[in-house]
Amino acid sequence: MNTKAQAPIGLFDSGIGGLTVANAILQQLPNEALIYFGDTAHLPYGDKSADTIRYFTKTIGSFLLSKECKIIVIACNTASSVAFDLLENLAGDKAIVFNVIDAVVDEIIRKKYKKVGVIGTLGTINSNAYLNRINSKDKSVEVHQLATPLLAPMIESGFVDGQISNVIIEEYLSAPELQDIETLILACTHYPLIKKEIEDYYLAKNKKVDVLATNEIVATQIKHFMIENGLINYEKKGKSAFYVSDYTESFEKTTQLFYKESVDLIHLPLFK
Ligand code: DGL
């Protein structure tokens, strides 16, 4: 028996948005046991300073390492933007760390897009993480970024496919920054929930813009890596656990928006 393959995959996010990544991983790797940590006590990360997010990442990363995760996924674009190197150093050879940015950047280069739009939190956009990584691989790609801070709270409040969400989506997507693009990166783990609405917006405007959700792309990258490195759990289905740093019933309800299976949230006040 390959004991490393039996180890869990750890994931974390500022809250429950990262469950879109957990979902995508389980769709492709149904036997894996997940250990998910949602830092609901500190949500949202999108408007926090980089130093503060690095501090949270260090604490959560140490927790996931203590659970002997074979892989740790930073299932949050904001934390991926500012704390990936830190977590990679902390993990050393104990776990492989993935962020939700690099796989998407590779996809942009592979598909030879030349005009790319990026929407995400203030933290993700201000860090220029997508811009810098895309341009470090191909300087000729134009990257047009727009912070869209209303979208994550809107989605978390359940507004995903009605008048309110349509007005907000339209307001953002009609911004001058995003006019001349071939593809739009949804650089926030909440946004897969409004991918269809965004695609519908472009359809209605007769514009051809490919909409890229980071969760599916990173799940595919992780699956390939696990196949190549003998890390897939082929034994019986592992048991997943979902921890949050602050528990409320409304968090538990909101998980249903993001995750297909029912989830029992375990309160773990990691920062006390
Ligand atoms: N999960 C965060 C991200 O992907 C969005 C929510 C937040 O601001 O904490 O950037």
Side-chain angles (χ1 to χ4, degrees), residues 51-149:
D51 277 349
T52 298
I53 293 167
R54 282 195 271 266
Y55 162 67
F56 297 153
T57 299
K58 201 170 165 188
T59 307
I60 300 165
S62 301
F63 165 69
L64 293 173
L65 287 169
S66 77
K67 296 277 181 189
E68 299 187 338
C69 295
K70 58 187 170 191
I71 281 173
I72 297 178
V73 188
I74 308 181
C76 170
N77 278 265
T78 312
S80 290
S81 301
V82 298
F84 174 61
D85 293 351
L86 175 148
L87 188 53
E88 247 196 344
N89 283 334
L90 184 75
D93 57 8
K94 292 196 198 91
I96 307 295
V97 181
F98 283 86
N99 60 62
V100 285
I101 300 176
D102 288 334
V104 182
V105 169
D106 290 346
E107 181 92 346
I108 294 292
I109 302 298
R110 200 171 57 76
K111 292 206 168 148
K112 299 191 169 49
Y113 289 114
K114 290 294 173 196
K115 291 175 179 189
V116 177
V118 185
I119 55 172
T121 65
L122 281 163
T124 298
I125 298 304
N126 289 342
S127 74
N128 287 324
Y130 281 87
L131 174 86
N132 291 339
R133 285 180 214 201
I134 291 171
N135 282 164
S136 75
K137 298 203 167 188
D138 184 346
K139 271 204 177 62
S140 71
V141 181
E142 284 176 26
V143 181
H144 303 278
Q145 311 185 87
L146 183 71
T148 48

Side-chain angles (χ1 to χ4, degrees), residues 215-233:
N215 62 336
E216 284 156 8
I217 297 172
V218 75
T220 305
Q221 179 200 34
I222 291 168
K223 182 180 173 181
H224 287 152
F225 177 85
M226 287 170 65
I227 291 170
E228 279 161 22
N229 291 279
L231 287 176
I232 300 225
N233 177 10

